[in-house]
Amino acid sequence: MTMTVIDLGDVSGPQPERAGSGGPLAGEFRRGTVRRLALAAMAVVCAVALGASARPVPPLVHELWSGPITEQDRIAFDGDTLFLHRYNGWENVLSALDAATGTVRWTRPLGKQVFELDSAASVGVILLPGDERTVRATNTDGSTTLVTFASSVIAIDPATGRDLWRRSGGYEYTARRDGILLTDRGDDGMLTRGRLVHPRTGAVIWERPLPRADSYATEFRHGAPFRLVAVTPAGDVTVLNYADGAPVVTGRIPWLSGAAAGDGGSSLSTAPGLLLVNRTEKGSGSVTAYRIDTLDRLWHRDGDQHLSSHECGPVVCLVNIDSFQALDPLTGALRWAGSGYPSTFGTSDGDVLMTSAAGDDTETMVRDAATGRQRGSAIRGWPAFSTVDAGHVLFLHNSPPNPAPAAVRRLDLATGGVTLLGDLPLVGSGRCTSAGRYLACYSAGRLVVSTVSGG
């Protein structure tokens, strides 16, 4: 299961109760009452009895509770737990709530620490930055830049909020339940040493010096980190095994350091078995593919200055502003092309791409990643990105001119079929995230948590 984080806002109501209190998050939080649910059920029964036909299905979305929230706050789900990170400009507070009721399980003040709430579900621990350090780094063109980074990492238990371990180094790039990569930086801000540690104990799995690199990337195979790639400002490449830190291959590739290129420069991305080098220079872009284990060059494609590349299941996607090309990974030959931005998901019958165009009333469609064949019809609205182990994504859509309610639909990634689940009375942007049977949405300064069932 992966966890999606959305930025929501800063809470202006009463402060959360402390850990172990078992009380509600704040006096403003409310749970759906039995009376309200009973009235809603009676309304559905009456509508059926009268032959009402406004909706072809009964509502399958029910609000559970809500509470105040602001634009600086962030949330994330991990199973039946909702993590709420509040930031008011000078102090951070992290709380774990029961997703079904809003009841606080624990609360932890964090001081000035700012972090990404993205590790509980994928790693089994919450990673917090420790001591902060600022150094003056020298760029390749002789200019200097102030670089601020965390010089230590704290792992806390998602169930209790208590410390599990603390180690020097910053958290970099990837973290999984079989290992977290930590890196040390030198006085110039560049990485100098890496260590892979056990998520629950902090025990060192491997440790070794790292190249003083301009860019790093991680190759994934079967959803797990497999290779770590480092490229220096001069283009010297080192490929390491992620599992044990052992060197695989070294070499040199054409490379344009971002510090020397101004608005341009080179960057790395990967696909299984491939190292992809994206380059922007003088208003034009290009992508070059290499075998990651040998650094043999495979293919090269030119494009405009916004060209970038990333893995799209069985193909490599070359992405421009509002369109993309799906290429054969080994030859770079065009397999098919599409519009919008492609996001890859795995289903029981292979990888699919969900492509969305930008805009207030965007359309999204599901395509077979290997062939580009469309599955089902396009769906309007914005996705509440969720874990897709169940093979679906929830979409919300407001019907102009009325800003509310928002229709909630379930998009089946295997077939492209759409099921109407019901409505939510959301005000404003209505940004949402979902996990399992829970859906959490921002609505006019309040966090609204609902349950989604059936369909």
Side-chain angles (χ1 to χ4, degrees):
M1 175 181 290
T2 59
M3 178 167 56
T4 303
V5 179
I6 59 173
D7 293 337
L8 293 180
D10 198 52
V11 176
S12 58
Q15 291 299 311
E17 296 187 15
R18 294 301 177 187
S21 67
L25 177 61
E28 291 193 44
F29 276 89
R30 55 182 172 81
R31 296 174 57 184
T33 63
V34 174
R35 179 176 180 274
R36 180 162 55 85
L37 292 177
L39 290 174
M42 289 175 63
V44 172
V45 171
C46 292
V48 173
L50 294 173
S53 58
R55 290 294 183 190
V57 295
L60 299 171
V61 182
H62 302 281
E63 181 183 332
L64 295 171
W65 55 271
S66 70
I69 201 161
T70 72
E71 294 293 337
Q72 285 70 46
D73 292 342
R74 292 172 289 175
I75 65 167
F77 281 109
D78 179 18
D80 290 330
T81 301
L82 175 69
F83 294 103
L84 173 60
H85 176 207
R86 301 177 183 273
Y87 180 64
N88 60 14
W90 62 88
E91 185 179 30
N92 289 266
V93 175
L94 179 63
S95 300
L97 285 65
D98 185 294
T101 66
T103 302
V104 173
R105 293 175 174 170
W106 56 261
T107 293
R108 176 183 175 130
L110 301 178
K112 295 184 178 180
Q113 297 178 60
V114 179
F115 67 104
E116 294 299 324
L117 187 55
D118 62 356
S119 58
S122 60
V123 187
V125 299
I126 297 175
L127 301 175
L128 304 177
D131 304 322
E132 196 174 79
R133 186 183 179 197
T134 300
V135 300
R136 185 173 294 278
T138 301
N139 302 316
T140 55
D141 62 355
S143 62
T144 60
T145 305
L146 289 178
V147 179
T148 300
F149 53 90
S151 59
S152 64
V153 173
I154 306 166
I156 67 174
D157 188 345
T160 65
R162 298 189 178 94
D163 287 4
L164 293 173
W165 51 265
R166 179 193 292 256
R167 278 200 168 273
S168 64
Y171 156 55
E172 295 286 341
Y173 307 111
T174 53
R176 292 294 185 271
R177 290 182 181 270
D178 56 354
I180 299 170
L181 181 63
L182 304 180
T183 55
D184 294 329
R185 293 179 182 266
D187 292 338
D188 58 0
M190 298 190 73
L191 302 186
T192 59
R193 194 167 191 84
R195 65 183 63 83
L196 194 69
V197 303
H198 189 277
R200 295 291 299 184
T201 67
V204 176
I205 300 171
W206 60 260
E207 185 172 5
R208 64 170 292 113
L210 291 177
R212 302 173 72 82
D214 201 37
S215 183
Y216 282 82
T218 302
E219 177 209 10
F220 286 79
R221 297 190 188 181
H222 308 293
F226 190 70
R227 301 277 196 239
L228 178 65
V229 185
V231 182
T232 70
D236 295 315
V237 181
T238 301
V239 181
L240 307 173
N241 278 331
Y242 193 90
D244 58 12
V248 175
V249 66
T250 60
R252 175 169 284 194
I253 60 174
W255 185 261
L256 180 63
S257 176
D263 293 335
S266 297
S267 63
L268 297 179
S269 56
T270 64
L274 296 182
L275 174 63
L276 302 168
V277 179
N278 311 292
R279 183 180 177 120
T280 300
E281 184 179 16
K282 296 179 180 179
S284 63
S286 67
V287 175
T288 307
Y290 301 84
R291 289 188 185 274
I292 201 166
D293 293 339
T294 64
L295 298 182
D296 292 334
R297 176 171 156 157
L298 293 175
W299 50 265
H300 176 88
R301 295 290 293 255
D302 291 313
D304 62 30
Q305 62 179 334
H306 302 289
L307 188 67
S308 64
S309 63
H310 65 258
E311 175 193 352
C312 285
V315 296
V316 170
C317 285
L318 262 59
V319 183
N320 289 302
I321 295 177
D322 55 3
S323 65
F324 67 94
Q325 297 177 322
L327 307 184
D328 182 278
L330 294 181
T331 66
L334 177 66
R335 288 191 180 178
W336 60 278
S339 60
Y341 187 87
S343 301
T344 312
F345 300 92
T347 63
S348 58
D349 63 345
D351 292 311
V352 299
L353 297 182
M354 192 174 74
T355 60
S356 301
D360 295 333
D361 197 23
T362 183
E363 279 194 344
T364 298
M365 62 185 62
V366 178
R367 296 184 181 275
D368 181 274
T371 65
R373 179 179 61 87
Q374 184 174 333
R375 300 185 179 188
S377 302
I379 181 173
R380 289 187 178 276
W382 63 96
F385 281 114
S386 63
T387 57
V388 291
D389 47 359
H392 68 263
V393 175
L394 297 181
F395 274 75
L396 292 92
H397 182 238
N398 287 342
S399 299
N402 298 320
V408 182
R409 294 180 173 88
R410 174 182 284 132
L411 173 65
D412 188 312
L413 292 174
T415 66
V418 177
T419 302
L420 176 64
L421 302 180
D423 293 331
L424 279 178
L426 302 180
V427 180
S429 65
R431 289 171 294 166
C432 300
T433 189
S434 67
R437 62 191 180 95
Y438 296 108
L439 174 67
C441 297
Y442 173 81
S443 179
R446 295 191 71 80
L447 173 66
V448 179
V449 178
S450 304
T451 182
V452 180
S453 61

